[in-house]
Amino acid sequence: MDEGDGFIQSKKIVVLGATGTIGKMTLDVLKRSEEFEVVGISAHQSAKLLLKEKAEFPGALTALTGDRAEDIDFCGDHAIEALMEKTHPEQVVVGIAGFAGLKHAITAAKYSNRLCLANKESIVAGGDFFLKSVKDSNCEIIPVDSEHNAVFQLIDGEKSPVESIFITASGGAVRDVPIENLKDVTPEMVLKHPIWNMGARITVDSATMFNKGLEIMEAHFLFGFPVNKIVAVLHPQGKVHGMIRLNDGTIKMLASRADMRLPISYACHYPKRTENFEGFSPFGELTFEKPDPTRYPALNLAYECLNEGDGARVVYNAADEIAVEAFLKKKIYFTDIYRIVEKVLENNWPKILNDYESIEAVDAKARRLAREMVKRCC
Ligand code: MG
């Protein structure tokens, strides 16, 4: 970027998953930023919304991965690759939801210098293989997931050794429902998240804490911390997003408004802060508790999976995705989500997965077994 004579040359940026919650917020952030030129946007199937978004960013090329539609520049399996090849962006925001984010994030890393990564599944399922692919492409990752973005900010520039990291959890929408009544909570009850505005799966995952389980795995790979040095903390107010404990026992915390546009903007503009997200107050109560393992068994299951090796993490994510989908369609009870994932994990899964095809095969098998379990629950 050349700012020498007041002229700012904009950076080319692509937004993958532009019609999802993160994608829409990213475009909202980029609309107000003078630093970026949005050269590409992608969606899986929402062609109409994608074209509507293009009207605001006329220079952007469009890609649709799961469908064909008129007026879209690239469609089908290789749409993302074609979009990258044509635009060669400096940065890519990966807002794609679910396992599909893995292969597209690998592709995006080949063509760009920075991934602003909101897709936690790529790190969870891809593990070391994914991180190596990104590194080999000379690309950096700035996490967008709010807790990891917070920990990234806390560690960045810290001169003292960091002993452990803490990621906070709101506890989800049904955190005050007595445990014995959890079986009967409905999707409508679970989808009313107390703090964050997010997609459906992640909102259900917040209530079961499968989301926090995935985030513990994400933190392990992103920051290279051993499993026993990553702690989930129940913090219902949603003001503090991450903490680090330093070698003298001091705990540094990061607090900010619970608005995903903030970590998105930070990841895009890093190391600068360019927009003032007002409306955050330090006043009021802040509480931190240990999550109850009986209410949130998904947490301990995540630690077990991390110790189990590569296959278990892929399964934890894939089986949960299927179970949540079934819960949202009212095919299974809320508490069946955990039961299904735990049951699918009981199979023998490979300890090491070091290429995309083997990861994809485990993912597909876990989904198939989870679907069979759903049928048995119905
Ligand atoms: Mg998060």
Side-chain angles (χ1 to χ4, degrees):
M1 182 171 313
D2 177 14
E3 291 177 78
D5 50 6
F7 172 72
I8 300 177
Q9 194 193 350
S10 55
K11 279 188 201 162
K12 293 195 283 180
I13 191 163
V14 163
V15 182
L16 301 181
T19 57
T21 315
I22 293 289
K24 283 189 222 160
M25 289 190 192
T26 303
L27 292 180
D28 186 48
V29 165
L30 295 176
K31 208 163 52 187
R32 289 189 299 274
S33 173
E34 288 175 1
E35 288 192 27
F36 294 99
E37 179 193 356
V38 179
V39 292
I41 49 178
S42 86
H44 187 53
Q45 285 180 315
S46 317
K48 242 187 186 169
L49 180 53
L50 193 66
L51 288 170
K52 206 172 145 198
E53 289 177 342
K54 186 189 158 84
E56 264 196 86
F57 300 94
L61 294 174
T62 49
L64 200 63
T65 49
D67 211 347
R68 305 212 147 260
E70 252 180 75
D71 301 325
I72 298 285
D73 298 301
F74 309 103
C75 295
D77 279 352
H78 300 289
I80 301 289
E81 182 120 40
L83 177 68
M84 293 297 157
E85 176 74 42
K86 193 78 183 171
T87 55
H88 277 271
E90 272 110 331
Q91 291 185 203
V92 179
V93 177
V94 186
I96 297 167
F99 180 74
L102 174 60
K103 66 176 173 198
H104 298 314
I106 292 172
T107 305
K110 277 187 206 153
Y111 291 90
S112 62
N113 307 323
R114 175 183 298 180
L115 295 187
C116 303
L117 190 64
N119 178 276
K120 65 193 77 181
E121 294 86 349
S122 47
I123 302 175
V124 169
D128 287 326
F129 158 74
F130 172 65
L131 293 182
K132 187 175 180 304
S133 311
V134 176
K135 202 172 164 212
D136 289 349
S137 300
N138 285 321
C139 183
E140 65 176 352
I141 293 176
I142 312 285
V144 169
D145 204 348
S146 59
E147 299 79 359
H148 305 74
N149 187 274
V151 171
F152 176 88
Q153 293 191 41
L154 289 165
I155 291 179
D156 189 44
E158 175 56 57
K159 292 181 187 72
S160 306
V162 180
E163 305 249 296
S164 50
I165 61 183
F166 301 83
I167 55 175
T168 57
S170 71
V174 293
R175 64 192 177 201
D176 297 321
V177 172
I179 294 179
E180 59 276 18
N181 298 345
L182 277 179
K183 185 180 171 221
D184 296 316
V185 303
T186 61
E188 291 77 17
M189 289 162 80
V190 173
L191 288 177
K192 280 192 193 122
H193 197 281
I195 309 279
W196 295 95
N197 164 23
M198 305 181 292
R201 180 194 174 195
I202 190 171
T203 307
V204 177
D205 280 348
S206 293
T208 55
M209 282 216 194
F210 267 98
N211 182 51
K212 217 44 58 181
L214 292 168
E215 290 183 351
I216 287 166
M217 300 178 191
E218 183 185 3
H220 167 72
F221 286 98
L222 272 178
F223 305 115
F225 274 75
V227 183
N228 60 351
K229 300 284 184 190
I230 306 166
V231 185
V233 181
L234 188 62
H235 169 53
Q237 295 84 15
K239 290 189 172 184
V240 172
H241 309 298
M243 317 178 204
I244 57 173
R245 190 198 296 275
L246 303 172
N247 62 321
D248 65 351
T250 299
I251 290 182
K252 259 169 75 171
M253 302 181 177
L254 185 135
S256 65
R257 204 169 104 171
D259 181 338
M260 283 309 294
R261 289 177 306 167
L262 219 155
I264 292 168
S265 179
Y266 184 84
C268 290
H269 295 97
Y270 174 79
K272 284 191 287 184
R273 296 176 195 269
T274 58
E275 188 176 350
N276 186 358
F277 290 86
E278 290 167 18
F280 178 71
S281 161
F283 300 110
E285 194 184 33
L286 292 180
T287 58
F288 304 96
E289 288 163 48
K290 280 189 181 160
D292 174 359
T294 318
R295 178 179 288 278
Y296 302 111
L299 271 186
N300 281 340
L301 196 62
Y303 287 107
E304 282 168 30
C305 285
L306 265 174
N307 288 324
E308 272 297 304
D310 293 342
R313 295 192 320 271
V314 179
V315 175
Y316 183 93
N317 173 62
D320 173 65
E321 206 168 305
I322 297 300
V324 169
E325 209 179 277
F327 168 69
L328 289 171
K329 288 182 184 158
K330 302 194 174 177
K331 290 182 181 171
I332 61 169
Y333 291 113
F334 179 69
T335 42
D336 286 335
I337 300 172
Y338 173 80
R339 284 185 41 234
I340 289 175
V341 179
E342 190 191 31
K343 197 83 194 150
V344 177
L345 274 165
E346 279 173 11
N347 293 273
N348 259 333
W349 298 102
K351 305 254 182 255
I352 295 170
L353 297 169
N354 45 23
D355 60 70
Y356 180 76
E357 289 67 29
S358 359
I359 296 171
E360 197 181 28
V362 170
D363 178 82
K365 187 177 171 191
R367 277 164 207 270
R368 185 169 52 72
L369 293 175
R371 281 196 192 98
E372 284 169 17
M373 286 284 303
V374 167
K375 272 189 202 148
R376 263 178 262 156
C377 283
C378 293

